[in-house]
């Protein structure tokens, strides 16, 4: 019995040592280092008053508690160099915008991308503030659209991270030129499809992406929204609709030749033509070649158009300059403005 007691005591001691080591992991040490470093910069800032310092310290703790990494922290607390980027009030307003999203359990990533890009491009603080306000509006509106679609019967993602990702991607569509009204029209077609069969959030997001790419490929915005709505109504998969967007963006030829392609694509989608047949007609008509359907390494071009492919981050402009990109960007109501 004495030996058993000693063994139990030893095991308890080892467990206690293990738990204490968890608090000293490299991740926690890195968080402590960042906290200490930024707090020192806050205290050393010559233009902050007491309430501003307290507000910024609280924001720092909240950001770290939510697991923000060093890159995000240094973007939100640009205190190095000559008093950092912008004055204290501007920095606090930016931090509060991001934390306002976090408090509502909305994705912060689209706004963080804009902040980091703005820093990299030395965008004036007042312009960055406008972009962040628009990005926040897009995220909130996209969340409203997602909730409304799910309440209407569209199948939700299986995880909270999936919901965040869909939210970010829809916000990107808005930044990239899709109007709020256009997104709502596609949402309505998605809910109607859910009543008649099955429709997922992924399909809803892909239809919004397709509409955005149709418009960037030369279609009128309202026509693009209508065609994306027909695609979701006819039961095309999310991959199918992303392929359609890729086709529209890749379509070649002169203005008249391209217009003919647009007309044909509208007819094909209306008829519910299969993607294999549609691809065949695109190549037969000279609008696409084998290289258009191949990506890096000989893969199908759509391999780069999943949930977050090349070009996904968008930019401080109102358009997507690549054929990659997954389910969205972030932006304006109809042709998102640039930095």
């Amino acid at each position: 019995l004495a030996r058993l007691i000693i063994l139990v005591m030893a095991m308890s001691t080892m467990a206690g040592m293990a738990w204490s080591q968890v608090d000293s992991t490299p991740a926690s040490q890195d968080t402590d280092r960042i906290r200490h470093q930024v707090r020192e910069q806050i205290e050393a800032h010559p233009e902050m008053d007491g309430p501003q310092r307290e507000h910024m310290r609280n924001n720092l703790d909240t950001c770290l508690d939510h697991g923000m990494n060093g890159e995000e922290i240094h973007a939100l607390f640009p205190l190095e160099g000559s008093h950092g980027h912008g004055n204290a009030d501007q920095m606090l307003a930016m931090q509060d915008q991001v934390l306002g999203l976090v408090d509502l359990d909305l994705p912060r990533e689209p706004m963080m991308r804009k902040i980091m890009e703005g820093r990299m491009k030395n965008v004036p603080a007042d312009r960055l503030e406008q972009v962040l306000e628009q990005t926040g509006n897009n995220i909130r509106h996209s969340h409203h659209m997602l909730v409304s679609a799910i309440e209407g019967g569209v199948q939700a993602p299986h995880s909270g991270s999936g919901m965040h990702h869909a939210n970010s991607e829809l916000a990107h569509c808005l930044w990239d030129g899709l109007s709020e009204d256009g997104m709502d029209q596609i949402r309505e077609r998605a809910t109607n499809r859910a009543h008649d069969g099955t429709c997922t959030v992924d399909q809803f997001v892909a239809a919004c992406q397709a509409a955005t790419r149709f418009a960037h490929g030369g279609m009128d915005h309202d026509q693009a929204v209508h065609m994306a709505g027909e695609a979701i109504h006819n039961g095309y998969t999310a991959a199918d609709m992303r392929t359609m967007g890729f086709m529209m963006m890749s379509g070649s030829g002169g203005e008249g030749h391209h217009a003919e392609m647009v007309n044909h694509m509208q007819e094909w989608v209306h008829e519910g033509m299969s993607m294999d047949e549609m691809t065949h007609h695109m190549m037969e008509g000279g609008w696409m070649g084998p290289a258009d359907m191949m990506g890096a390494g000989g893969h199908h071009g759509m391999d780069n158009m999943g949930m977050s492919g090349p070009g996904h981050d968008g930019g401080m402009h109102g358009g997507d300059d690549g054929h990659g990109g997954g389910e969205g960007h972030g932006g304006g109501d109809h042709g998102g403005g640039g930095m």
Side-chain angles (χ1 to χ4, degrees):
L1 179 62
R3 289 181 178 178
L4 179 61
I5 293 173
I6 293 171
L7 178 61
V8 170
M9 291 177 63
M11 292 176 66
S12 299
T13 302
M14 291 173 65
M17 292 173 62
W19 279 109
S20 66
Q21 287 173 355
V22 168
D23 294 333
S24 300
T25 58
S28 64
Q29 291 174 355
D30 191 50
T31 298
D32 291 342
R33 179 186 60 77
I34 293 171
R35 192 190 312 272
H36 177 73
Q37 180 186 48
V38 176
R39 276 180 170 268
E40 282 192 337
Q41 292 168 353
I42 291 171
E43 296 305 319
H45 198 290
E47 298 175 5
M48 280 192 210
D49 58 28
Q52 288 173 327
R53 285 192 171 88
E54 181 66 18
H55 188 170
M56 199 166 289
R57 284 194 296 267
N58 290 337
N59 282 354
L60 173 63
D61 290 339
T62 303
C63 289
L64 291 172
D65 289 344
H66 281 285
M68 292 193 189
N69 59 35
E71 186 180 18
E72 291 177 300
I73 293 296
H74 290 301
L76 286 172
F77 297 83
L79 295 161
E80 296 177 303
S82 181
H83 312 330
H85 186 104
N87 60 36
D89 285 334
Q90 290 170 331
M91 283 188 278
L92 287 168
M94 177 179 63
Q95 295 159 15
D96 290 342
Q97 281 183 301
V98 173
L99 290 176
L101 295 175
V102 172
D103 288 342
L104 295 172
D105 193 26
L106 298 179
R108 67 179 184 262
E109 289 77 15
M111 191 172 287
M112 290 305 308
R113 285 197 297 266
K114 298 298 182 191
I115 291 171
M116 292 176 187
E117 187 175 353
R119 297 279 182 251
M120 182 178 66
K121 295 181 177 180
N122 292 318
V123 174
D126 56 346
R127 175 59 187 141
L128 180 57
E129 184 178 354
Q130 294 172 8
V131 168
L132 297 184
E133 181 178 0
Q134 182 63 65
T135 301
N137 290 339
N138 292 338
I139 293 169
R140 286 184 286 270
H141 183 78
S142 298
H143 175 72
H144 172 70
M145 288 289 98
L146 278 174
V147 171
S148 180
I150 292 168
E151 289 176 347
V154 175
Q155 292 182 7
H158 296 301
S159 66
S161 61
M163 187 72 170
H164 270 203
H165 190 79
N167 196 160
S168 296
E169 301 294 348
L170 287 177
H172 196 168
C173 289
L174 290 173
W175 180 267
D176 223 20
L178 181 63
S179 71
E180 292 181 355
D181 182 63
M183 182 176 287
D184 192 40
Q185 290 180 47
I186 295 172
R187 177 204 58 78
E188 186 174 354
R189 299 299 291 269
T191 55
N192 290 340
R193 173 65 186 171
H195 295 157
D196 298 335
T198 300
C199 184
T200 67
V201 160
D202 192 22
Q203 286 173 294
F204 169 44
V205 173
C208 290
Q209 289 177 319
T212 305
R213 293 181 183 280
F214 294 160
H216 279 277
M219 287 188 73
D220 173 79
H221 173 272
D222 292 343
Q223 285 183 316
V225 168
H226 178 75
M227 190 163 99
E230 284 212 309
I232 205 168
H233 172 76
N234 287 337
Y236 284 99
T237 67
D240 288 342
M241 288 183 277
R242 293 189 182 102
T243 299
M244 291 177 194
F246 175 81
M247 287 177 170
M248 185 68 74
M249 295 285 288
S250 300
S252 59
E255 184 175 343
H257 194 53
H258 188 271
E260 183 184 359
M261 179 201 74
V262 170
N263 290 335
H264 279 302
M265 281 197 70
Q266 288 177 298
E267 293 172 5
W268 298 334
V269 171
H270 179 73
E271 295 168 2
M273 181 181 289
S274 72
M275 292 308 301
D276 285 344
E277 192 174 358
M278 199 180 296
T279 301
H280 171 75
H281 285 310
M282 287 287 290
M283 297 180 71
E284 188 177 55
W287 295 295
M288 294 181 66
D292 292 316
M293 298 306 294
M294 302 297 288
H299 298 293
H300 191 286
M302 292 307 300
D303 289 350
N304 293 328
M305 291 188 68
M307 292 289 279
S308 55
H312 170 75
D313 286 352
M316 300 301 181
H317 48 76
D320 177 10
D321 57 3
H323 298 157
E327 297 194 24
H329 295 43
D333 186 72
H334 188 0
M339 281 290 197

